[in-house]
Amino acid sequence: MQQPTSGANQRIARIAAHLHPPTLQIEGESSGLGRMDCRAKGGSPGFKVAVLGAAGGIGQPLAMLMKINPLVSVLHLYDVVNTPGVTADISHMDTNAVVRGFLGQQQLEDALAGMDIVIIPAGVPRKPGMTRDDLFNINAGIVKTLCEGIAKCCPKAIVNLISNPVNSTVPIAAEVFKKVGTYDPKRLLGVTMLDVVRANTFVAEVLGLDPREVDVPVVGGHAGVTILPLLSQVKPSCSLTPTEIDYLTDRIQNGGTEVVEAKAGAGSATLSMAYAAAKFADACLRGLRGDAGVIECAYVASTVTELPFFASKVRLGRAGIEEIYSLGPLNEYERTGLEKAKKELAGSIQKGVSFVRK
Ligand SMILES: NC(=O)C1=CN([C@@H]2O[C@H](COP(=O)(O)OP(=O)(O)OC[C@H]3O[C@@H](n4cnc5c(N)ncnc54)[C@H](O)[C@@H]3O)[C@@H](O)[C@H]2O)C=CC1
Ligand SMILES: O=C([O-])CC(=O)C(=O)O
């Protein structure tokens, strides 16, 4: 067998050092003890993104999609299990972002330090027969702990909250940030993008269009009747029959349950959610970069209705949410839906607020 040259020896030694890092020091940063660091050099322009719950059903494909995003220079993957494997795996992708893994509560602060965007899909998913609110008891505590970490380590980060029940977890996050004095409503967004993604898909199916050409605003919240598609505002403008409107509203409101039942106990939407979360995070990143006209639906602190939180179209920019749009003209069907949505949302918001204030 041919002996490697001394130049080749040096290169192999360098690669081996990356695979089995002693205590790697990142330029300009201190390295967390026991942290998995999959490339020593970063520094290329771009944003720093953390995924909390990165080893989960949503977390893994979402981490992969964020690794592909050219706006991301550093990707931190945090979970209470399995991040070494996920980090090693994703770090082999030949895209720009430097990937670092963080395992367990003692590494949460290292995972969060310096982040521009924190995406949270941590928590338990539904099984058939459960509502999203049935997840409250477990997920409320998880979200509270993670948000306490964000308030301490990256209080200026944009937070994309995915963990259910979103209608309550966003108010929980707001209360945690208020308590420590770091709350900026412009930087806290509940991710309802999957409702829009589903609505675009189902409406396109009915109209015989390419879903990429369809834009359906979905407002309210992210559970059952609180998911309110505004089918009178579909772009391109179209006329749907009352039967089509009933079918579409029901399918969009129950899209999550459709997946939970099809998975029959193996969890809820993960792949379409990772896609939706990556699309939404990309919009936040483009806003941060200063792109004009970045508009998406999200569940945010709002004065669009009398409720303190509501999902509607928002414009994203360097400060996070730069403008929240009103609902526009609603027809009778949508006005009735809005009243039902508000009634349920009010209770879910109060439940989240009380959890932190108790
Ligand atoms: N907003 C939305 O549109 C959607 C929200 N979801 C919600 O997203 C959440 C996650 O769903 P899946 O990924 O399918 O669940 P999963 O169980 O596959 O993954 C969740 C991950 O969170 C981790 N985790 C648990 N406690 C943690 C903690 N304290 N800190 C960090 N990580 C922790 C788990 O170890 C696991 O890897 C669920 O609450 C689900 O209901 C799901 C689909 C759509
Ligand atoms: O339905 C669930 O539990 C997960 C979810 O939020 C969705 O798929 O919209």
Side-chain angles (χ1 to χ4, degrees):
M1 200 175 89
Q2 235 183 352
Q3 288 301 311
T5 63
S6 72
N9 277 339
Q10 278 167 11
R11 281 199 300 274
I12 289 165
R14 209 168 58 229
I15 292 164
H18 287 171
L19 288 175
H20 307 288
T23 32
L24 279 181
Q25 198 73 24
I26 307 301
E27 285 169 339
E29 295 176 39
S30 65
S31 161
L33 195 64
R35 195 172 75 187
M36 296 143 286
D37 223 321
C38 287
R39 206 166 91 199
K41 285 213 171 25
S44 48
F47 295 101
K48 297 180 179 180
V49 176
V51 178
L52 312 183
I58 296 167
Q60 291 199 35
L62 173 59
M64 183 181 81
L65 293 170
M66 297 318 292
K67 174 77 168 98
I68 297 170
N69 190 312
L71 294 177
V72 180
S73 60
V74 173
L75 181 60
H76 282 190
L77 305 181
Y78 172 81
D79 203 304
V80 291
V81 293
N82 298 339
T83 36
V86 175
T87 306
D89 190 352
I90 285 187
S91 71
H92 289 187
M93 292 167 64
D94 59 353
T95 61
N96 177 53
V98 177
V99 187
R100 300 177 187 137
F102 301 83
L103 181 64
Q105 175 81 33
Q106 70 284 1
Q107 293 190 356
L108 177 61
E109 294 190 7
D110 283 336
L112 291 170
M115 292 297 109
D116 298 303
I117 297 195
V118 180
I119 313 174
I120 312 183
V124 291
R126 283 202 282 166
K127 288 193 188 314
M130 292 171 82
T131 66
R132 290 180 182 82
D133 185 60
D134 292 334
L135 306 172
F136 185 98
N137 287 346
I138 299 178
N139 290 353
I142 293 173
V143 168
K144 181 170 174 278
T145 306
L146 296 175
C147 288
E148 283 163 356
I150 292 169
K152 186 170 176 200
C153 303
C154 53
K156 298 250 177 268
I158 307 266
V159 177
N160 288 182
L161 195 36
I162 295 170
S163 317
N164 271 318
V166 168
N167 292 352
S168 302
T169 54
V170 170
I172 288 173
E175 287 302 314
V176 170
F177 297 150
K178 277 183 203 167
K179 232 178 174 172
V180 266
T182 65
Y183 182 47
D184 178 355
K186 290 190 168 67
R187 294 175 188 271
L188 174 60
L189 302 103
V191 181
T192 57
M193 189 74 173
L194 183 53
D195 302 314
V196 174
V197 162
R198 285 178 177 139
N200 292 345
T201 305
F202 303 155
V203 168
E205 235 167 58
V206 165
L207 297 176
L209 294 174
D210 179 337
R212 290 169 299 182
E213 289 164 12
V214 177
D215 176 33
V216 186
V218 183
V219 302
H222 180 67
V225 296
T226 73
I227 300 169
L228 188 62
L230 300 181
L231 296 171
S232 65
Q233 296 180 24
V234 169
K235 282 190 196 140
S237 72
C238 62
S239 88
L240 295 160
T241 66
T243 310
E244 287 169 336
I245 290 172
D246 274 337
Y247 160 78
L248 285 167
T249 304
D250 180 66
R251 187 146 187 229
I252 295 161
Q253 291 184 331
N254 294 302
T257 306
E258 183 180 323
V259 178
V260 169
E261 282 169 3
K263 290 199 174 179
S268 56
T270 53
L271 304 173
S272 52
M273 182 60 231
Y275 165 79
K279 199 173 174 187
F280 187 70
D282 180 66
C284 292
L285 289 167
R286 284 183 286 116
L288 279 181
R289 180 174 65 176
D291 288 14
V294 183
I295 296 168
E296 298 294 352
C297 289
Y299 180 64
V300 301
S302 170
T303 55
V304 160
T305 69
E306 63 276 24
L307 296 173
F309 295 92
F310 202 81
S312 66
K313 284 198 170 184
V314 304
R315 184 165 54 79
L316 299 160
R318 289 191 200 278
I321 302 159
E322 297 202 329
E323 189 174 356
I324 300 178
Y325 297 98
S326 62
L327 302 184
L330 305 186
N331 60 28
E332 182 58 31
Y333 188 88
E334 290 160 352
R335 280 198 296 275
T336 307
L338 177 62
E339 289 317 306
K340 276 193 209 153
K342 285 197 295 191
K343 204 165 166 216
E344 182 172 324
L345 258 179
S348 306
I349 293 169
Q350 192 46 50
K351 189 169 174 180
V353 171
S354 308
F355 176 77
V356 182
R357 290 197 190 162
K358 70 181 175 221

